[in-house]
Each structure stands twice: as structure tokens, then as C-alpha cells.
Amino acid sequence: MTQQVRKHELKNVLYDIVNKEDNSRFLQKIPHMNISNLAIIFYFDDTKDLITFPILNLLKLNTRELFKVAKTNMHNKYPSKIIKTRNKKGEMLFYRITNDSKSGISAILTEKAKRELKLKSNEMYIFFISNREVIALDPKQFNISEAMYLLKANEFIFGHMEGYFVTSSLYRYMPGKNILEELDVDSILINKQEEENESFIEEELCF
């Protein structure tokens, strides 16, 4: 690969986000980065061809260096869009994060999205309603049960479309610390219920 060709190819590198478990065998064959139960993969924007290990060697980069290149290209080619959704009273409900690439959910990892979301809250609940956009909820406005209700409602609407959902999980996202953590919602709700029961028993015993 000549220097000119390499330069052209690097300008076309982008990334996508896929489900790690659903693509476990496939991921063994291509460079990727794991993030929670998801995986970041790479492709060329002009041809949509995936980047394989032989191509990575030709580009003379490692996977982390490739991700840096892909993030820069994503920012320049497909800037993130943070769309505010309000109720009829004008009150803020949630944020929709997307871009115009073939995988709008990739916008969640861009510096612009992280910077803007960090200004709203240090921690958010997020979920993917499709491969096109991410929903971000402020925990100060939504408890975990309400967040799961919204997730399941969207899953009911779009779930019949094969391959439409990257993941049905709810995540805790901390944009300032680059932390994306899948939440074990059932365990959290059970623990919360047990704490409420214990609190109720203690109050009753005080009388």
C-alpha cells in the first residue's frame, strides 16, 4: 500500500457498534474493541467494507490507534446530533443522540456527545432504541423502573423488525469518565424492594 493510498483509506475509516454476544464468532476475525456487552468494529465509509486484520496491518496501526482515527473522521463527516425531547408543558424529558452515518448510535462515543451530555449530568441512563439513535435519561428525572418502561415500550414498537435492536439492555453512562456499564436491572429492583421492606419494618417496630 503506497503512502497516498494509505492516506486515502485512513480518511474513510469509521466505526460501528454491535452486540458482542450475537457476533462472538465474527468478532474473532476482525479488529474490535469491547465496551460492556458491546463491541466497536471498523469499516471504510466509501465502500462499507469491514476492516480485517490484514487490512489493519497494511494501515500500520493497532486497534486503539484505528479507533482514534475513526472517531476523528466520525466527528468531521457525521457530527453528533443531540435532540431535546420535551413534553407539552415544555419540560425536558430526554435526549436523542444520533448522526447521519449508517450507524447513528455511533454518535454516543463522539467527543461532542460526551461533552454536551456531561454538561447536563455526570451520569445518565441510556438505551438503544434502534441502530439509528440512543436515548439518554437524567436519573434525577427518571428512576430505573421508569427508564426500563421506556426501553420496553420502544422494544415492543420496533422489536418485530429483525436485527433492528443492537441490544435491549439499559446502561449507566458517565460521559466524563468514559464509563458505559450494563445494568442488572432485576437485581437492582429486587435490592431496592428489600431495602424498602426493611425500612417499613423498622418504622413499624418503632410504634
Side-chain angles (χ1 to χ4, degrees):
M1 181 181 291
T2 66
Q3 190 65 24
Q4 186 175 358
V5 171
R6 180 176 180 273
K7 187 176 180 180
H8 170 78
E9 297 291 11
L10 287 177
K11 286 183 178 180
N12 276 289
V13 172
L14 294 179
Y15 66 88
D16 196 356
I17 301 173
V18 300
N19 187 290
K20 186 166 62 177
E21 183 178 352
D22 292 349
N23 297 279
S24 56
R25 290 187 179 181
F26 169 69
L27 290 172
Q28 295 175 11
K29 303 175 183 178
I30 60 172
H32 65 279
M33 295 175 63
N34 295 326
I35 175 169
S36 189
N37 65 333
L38 306 171
I40 301 168
I41 62 174
F42 306 93
Y43 67 97
F44 291 116
D45 188 32
D46 52 353
T47 63
K48 302 300 184 285
D49 290 338
L50 287 172
I51 294 178
T52 59
F53 284 113
I55 293 175
L56 184 66
N57 289 333
L58 288 173
L59 293 174
K60 299 178 181 179
L61 296 174
N62 60 40
T63 306
R64 289 194 172 276
E65 290 169 337
L66 189 67
F67 182 50
K68 288 182 180 179
V69 171
K71 279 212 303 182
T72 299
N73 291 341
M74 190 70 77
H75 172 76
N76 294 332
K77 288 188 168 190
Y78 303 106
S80 299
K81 300 176 183 179
I82 313 293
I83 305 163
K84 297 178 181 178
T85 301
R86 302 179 183 274
N87 62 20
K88 292 181 179 179
K89 296 180 181 178
E91 298 168 332
M92 186 65 210
L93 290 180
F94 52 80
Y95 303 93
R96 295 165 51 209
I97 303 101
T98 187
N99 62 29
D100 292 328
S101 73
K102 79 181 185 73
S103 174
I105 59 175
S106 60
I108 192 65
L109 298 180
T110 61
E111 294 304 318
K112 178 183 177 183
K114 288 191 287 186
R115 186 169 59 251
E116 290 195 27
L117 289 177
K118 186 182 176 183
L119 292 174
K120 316 299 181 188
S121 177
N122 289 325
E123 181 179 320
M124 293 222 171
Y125 294 136
I126 71 166
F127 61 86
F128 303 80
I129 65 168
S130 71
N131 64 345
R132 290 299 311 148
E133 65 182 30
V134 179
I135 297 295
L137 310 168
D138 189 340
K140 298 185 187 71
Q141 294 177 272
F142 291 85
N143 62 40
I144 197 165
S145 297
E146 292 167 332
M148 278 303 297
Y149 175 82
L150 285 175
L151 189 160
K152 292 301 180 183
N154 280 282
E155 188 175 16
F156 176 78
I157 294 170
F158 298 109
H160 67 284
M161 300 174 66
E162 185 178 354
Y164 201 66
F165 271 84
V166 174
T167 172
S168 296
S169 299
L170 182 69
Y171 298 85
R172 176 183 289 115
Y173 181 49
M174 302 175 71
K177 298 181 179 180
N178 290 326
I179 294 175
L180 181 66
E181 174 191 10
E182 182 186 16
L183 295 174
D184 185 348
V185 177
D186 290 339
S187 294
I188 292 172
L189 292 177
I190 289 171
N191 291 337
K192 182 179 178 183
Q193 186 62 54
E194 289 176 348
E195 290 173 2
E196 290 176 353
N197 290 342
E198 288 175 4
S199 176
F200 175 76
I201 293 171
E202 288 175 2
E203 289 176 4
E204 289 295 307
L205 291 175
C206 290
F207 287 99

